[in-house]
Amino acid sequence: MTIERLTAEALDSCADGLGELLAATVAAGSSLGFLTGLSAQEAAGWWRGRAAEVADGRLLLWVARSGGRVTGTVGCAPGLKDNGRHRGEVVKLMVAPEARGQGVARRLLGAVETWAAGAGMTLLTLDTETGSPAEGFYRMAGWTETGTVPGYASDPYGKLMPSTFFHKTPAAA
């Protein structure tokens, strides 16, 4: 397995694989901002629409590949306001259902944390559906629960669910 940070050009070249990953992850029960019925083609288009954000640094993306196939991804949205440049939000951490339990998520999250520490960030945040397997994963990865917001986002079926927010101070590797 390899982990690489994507440029806007590289994002375009692997958008189809990222679209398949996103559609499969939503179909497996993770909303990630999307509802059931998301096709791989629609998801690939959504990824291609992120190219400008990647190009200008509003979104940093990493991808995991195994045998040339996209098996996971994670993003970081750095704080852009003057009073928030010390922080970033971890977004869209996902692993293909068939690749789960193989350390992909841990390596992707580690890539973001290492990058953030090297960039001088002192705070990372993220949110996940309360009660999801991801919630336990973040705790095991050393993230601290900040709190829970009821009805924060809907699950893939449209039901409003609580979200648990986490934070972490990235440490240099």
Side-chain angles (χ1 to χ4, degrees):
M1 173 183 40
T2 61
I3 306 284
E4 72 176 281
R5 184 167 155 205
L6 295 180
T7 62
E9 295 78 21
L11 169 60
D12 185 61
S13 71
C14 68
D16 289 337
L18 285 166
E20 290 172 11
L21 172 65
L22 178 55
T25 304
V26 171
S30 298
S31 69
L32 297 160
F34 299 90
L35 299 176
T36 57
L38 178 69
S39 72
Q41 183 179 15
E42 291 169 320
W46 181 85
W47 281 111
R48 284 187 177 91
R50 310 283 68 78
E53 296 168 57
V54 171
D56 68 15
R58 289 178 289 149
L59 178 63
L60 309 169
L61 285 176
W62 288 262
V63 66
R65 296 180 206 245
S66 182
R69 185 172 174 274
V70 174
T71 57
T73 189
V74 67
C76 181
L80 299 176
K81 295 179 182 175
D82 288 343
N83 70 346
R85 296 190 193 281
H86 66 286
R87 68 178 182 249
E89 181 184 6
V90 175
V91 296
K92 304 272 187 282
L93 174 60
M94 64 185 98
V95 174
E98 68 278 3
R100 293 181 184 162
Q102 300 174 24
V104 177
R106 188 170 302 278
R107 287 195 51 200
L108 285 165
L109 195 56
V112 172
E113 292 173 8
T114 299
W115 174 86
M121 286 188 176
T122 58
L123 179 67
L124 289 173
T125 63
L126 61 82
D127 70 271
T128 192
E129 184 179 312
T130 303
S132 69
E135 188 178 12
F137 165 75
Y138 292 124
R139 283 192 181 94
M140 288 179 18
W143 286 69
T144 301
E145 182 178 333
T146 306
T148 301
V149 177
Y152 186 75
S154 71
D155 67 9
Y157 310 101
K159 180 181 177 190
L160 289 178
M161 301 296 290
S163 289
T164 302
F165 287 74
F166 290 87
H167 67 275
K168 188 173 188 179
T169 299

